[in-house]
Amino acid sequence: MEHVPPPAEELARLDRELAELDARRAQLLTRRTWLLAALRPPVPTTAPGWNPSGWGAPPGTPAQPWGYVPKQPPAPRGAQNVLLTLGGLLLTVAAVAFTLVSWGSMGIGGRSAVLASVTLGALIAPAVLLRRGLAATAEALAALALVLTLLDVYAVHAVAAPDTDGLGFTAVASAVLAALWAAYGLALGKLRLPLPAAVVLAQWPLLFWAWAAGAPALVVGWALLATAVLDGAIALWGKGAGVRVTACVGGSAMGLSALVVGLALSTTASGPLGAAGPGALLLAAAAAALAGAWRTPKGFARTGGVVAGLAAVAAVGGVPAAALPDGWRVLAYLLCGLALAGVVRAGVPRDAARGVLAASGAVVAGSLAWALPPLAAVLLGPVTLLSDVWAGSPEGFRSALGSTLPWSELAAAPLMLALVAGLLGSAYRWWPSVVRITAPLAAPRAADTGTPGAGAPGAVGAAAPWPGWSGWSGWSGAGSDARRRPSATTLRGAAGAGAVALGWGALMLAGVVLDVPYAVAVAGETALVGVLLALAVRGAGSGRSASAVPVIALVGAVAGAVSVGVLSLASEGASYAVFGALAVLFAGAAVRAGAEVPRAVFAVAAVVWGTVLTGFAGRSLGLAPHESAPLMLLVPALTMLLGARLRRNPVALPVELTGALGALVAVGLAVSDAPFLALVLALCGVMASGAAVRPERRPVAGYLAAALFVLATWVRLAASEVSFPEAYTLPVTVPALVVGVLRRRGDPEASSWTAYGPGLAATLLPSLAVAWTDTDWLRPLLLGVAALVITLLGARYRLQALLLLGGAVLALDGLHELAPYVVQVAGALPRWLPPALAGLLLLVVGATYEQRLRDARRLRDALGRMR
């Protein structure tokens, strides 16, 4: 027996353990502080063999207690830098205030002398300070000198050349200051500020010059590009990390600005001649980016390749696009983007070539994204026909969609999809050739891996053998980059899946762009569903489950079937033809499929289409919804028979569940008419009984059949307005109980729910429903007495069904009888009393929660031991 200590003793024990944990934590933190202090400064007297990560102190030092905290090291040089920075800022503010406020109180000679002497002193002082080792002070005075040179330029313009153009003067001044500061920084190589400042000043001369000259936007773009090229050269060959980082940031900003200017001018050009100038700018930017990618590290090389590829597409594609209508311009850019794939054989470095290919993929993806809205309109447009089924066949495909898209301007969309689909299909068909062509981009070179000859042409075959090659990772053992690459099977499957999806979309869009007749559109989409099903069945039967082609074909077939099914709702004949064809196609695919999951999907879809056909039959016969409900049960009955034929086949359960959903639809249709609802429920009970004959379905179908029969009986009695249901239910209950007694005699282990539950429920539950609406006292009294007897019998013979069913009916019957008195008493009580009683009850239950929980467990165990 487990010993449970009193709460006070357990609380004291927890407090002691927590105190010990706190003391141990404080001890460990103190030791950690000492170790950090011992590791931070180098100890010159340390013995050669001492390990600073060890547990003890350095040799030669006295042992320190665990509470020892070493003296803090001297203040780092960061405080000195902060003080020097603040001093430099104060001097700068003073210089600005002198120039702007006190300038007018001095003559021209005094002004020049003061500024010249102060600037000269600020420029000379860093050299002297550097020789004495005061680098931080030298940096602060160099920053002051930079600000003073800017003030000198302002003073020269204000006094010596007040009439000159401000933009032109700024361009010249920034160029002169950039050159002076570059020379100054090179002369004093230990200073880190002058050279980055010179790079910043070098960003503005060409831009301000073009602005001052009133140059057109194209000239401004060339000025930005020239500045970006200069920044790129500095980033490649500049001195110091600060200079290179500054040049890289400036070059990126200027280059991006130049590309934006060129792209805006190219897309708004009035003709090919007008687009030639911006195209030349974009082409020059592409050449500059590619030249930079040729010499930069891996990540920058890929980025440069992406920029070069996108700029080249915008440059070359913008010229023919300017001569094409709006709907065809995207095609010009797509063709240029596809042409970028030729970089594979152009001898471009591997990382840069990968960037160019990424740009090609981005252009293709953007072009395909432009075609997605019309494709979505084709797939979802027929939904508008649901509001008026069988209203009549429309004239053309477009009128059936009800879309307001400018289809005449989207004529290039199907051609684009077909073009990309053809290329992907060719790659899928001749995949070994694609692998051989792209091998130089996948295999690392000697410079990347350190292996001599790894990137040599003769080594490609050894690095990527074919056949027998197992994937991209087999081409290279270069670490994680190789392991992250997808396998050849995955890439080939993606290419094939893309070809299938895009080819299907191209054919769908072609029909609406050409505005084919409605009958042709319906027949064409149905044929496309058949083709996709054939591809899905072929892929599922070949055992290549990893391939994406059958998966995409399966998804496309289901989506296309839904779309063409909704499209066929405009005409009665088209609806029968389409859904009949879909049912046959999917049933045939389910028979021919070799994998379990596709077969189940095909079978379920065939059942759905068959259920829709039965609904069409009821509508054609002019039946009301509740009158067509029994007809809807034809497909569930067939699925039940098919499930009995398939037995334990994995497809049987999905088919039967789909048929059950059709039966649920039939029940929903019959709800508005009680006699038909009773008939439908009874028929559903018959089908459930048929399914219960099979051992694998009996645990669920048996109870379901009993519930359906009882429910059908109740509905039938309610529909007939029977006021004494016992006259109809007792003749069923008595033989059912006799059968239950015989069942228990033959099988004492049989459950009481199976033996007595259906018979008792057939009378007790309808009587309880009538008793709640009966104003007389006789029926509730007789029902209560019968429920009490059944409850006592269940307790005496330990029968769970009798105890629970009789007790529930007795409780509800008693509640019905006591309800008026409860309401009367509740109305007479004060309003505060019910909440108070509820709170008191909760307190009592909470205080005795453990005991109540044990009582509930005992009750559950007792019920569980009953039959």
Side-chain angles (χ1 to χ4, degrees), residues 290-601:
L290 190 59
W294 208 289
R295 297 172 175 83
T296 52
K298 180 178 179 180
F300 292 99
R302 292 185 180 181
T303 304
V306 171
V307 173
L310 294 177
V313 170
V316 179
V319 176
L324 296 174
D326 292 339
W328 292 87
R329 293 187 175 183
V330 182
L331 181 60
Y333 292 109
L334 174 62
L335 293 175
C336 294
L338 294 174
L340 286 180
V343 74
V344 175
R345 290 298 186 183
V348 180
R350 181 166 57 93
D351 292 321
R354 286 181 179 178
V356 175
L357 287 180
S360 175
V363 173
V364 174
S367 302
L368 296 179
W370 175 78
L372 286 181
L375 183 59
V378 174
L379 292 176
L380 302 178
V383 175
T384 57
L385 298 174
L386 293 176
S387 60
D388 195 5
V389 179
W390 294 357
S393 301
E395 296 181 359
F397 197 2
R398 295 182 188 177
S399 58
L401 298 179
S403 176
T404 58
L405 290 176
W407 294 108
S408 58
E409 299 180 4
L410 300 173
L415 183 60
M416 290 168 46
L417 294 178
L419 177 61
V420 180
L423 293 175
L424 291 177
S426 300
Y428 179 80
R429 173 63 180 82
W430 292 285
W431 186 251
S433 301
V434 175
V435 171
R436 285 195 298 270
I437 293 173
T438 58
L441 298 184
R445 298 184 176 181
D448 299 318
T449 62
T451 304
V460 171
W466 187 274
W469 170 69
S470 61
W472 286 84
S473 58
W475 287 359
S476 126
S480 61
D481 185 61
R483 290 192 296 268
R484 286 195 299 266
R485 299 186 190 120
S487 65
T489 303
T490 303
L491 293 176
R492 185 181 185 186
V500 171
L502 295 178
W504 172 58
L507 292 175
M508 296 281 286
L509 279 178
V512 69
V513 168
L514 297 176
D515 197 16
V516 298
Y518 173 75
V520 176
V522 171
E525 289 196 24
T526 307
L528 280 178
V529 172
V531 173
L532 291 174
L533 284 176
L535 288 175
V537 170
R538 181 182 179 185
S542 63
R544 293 177 296 177
S545 58
S547 177
V549 175
V551 177
I552 293 298
L554 175 59
V555 174
V558 174
V562 173
S563 179
V564 70
V566 179
L567 182 64
S568 68
L569 296 180
S571 171
E572 182 178 2
S575 299
Y576 279 105
V578 168
F579 280 96
L582 291 178
V584 172
L585 288 173
F586 278 87
V591 174
R592 296 297 302 273
E596 294 179 1
V597 174
R599 184 186 300 171
V601 174

Side-chain angles (χ1 to χ4, degrees), residues 222-299:
W222 280 106
L224 292 171
L225 180 60
T227 305
V229 171
L230 176 62
D231 289 331
I234 296 173
L236 288 174
W237 297 294
K239 180 182 178 181
V243 175
R244 294 187 176 184
V245 170
T246 305
C248 186
V249 173
S252 300
M254 292 297 175
L256 181 61
S257 301
L259 290 174
V260 170
V261 171
L263 183 61
L265 294 176
S266 178
T267 54
T268 57
S270 58
L273 293 178
L281 173 62
L282 292 171
L283 204 59
L290 190 59
W294 208 289
R295 297 172 175 83
T296 52
K298 180 178 179 180

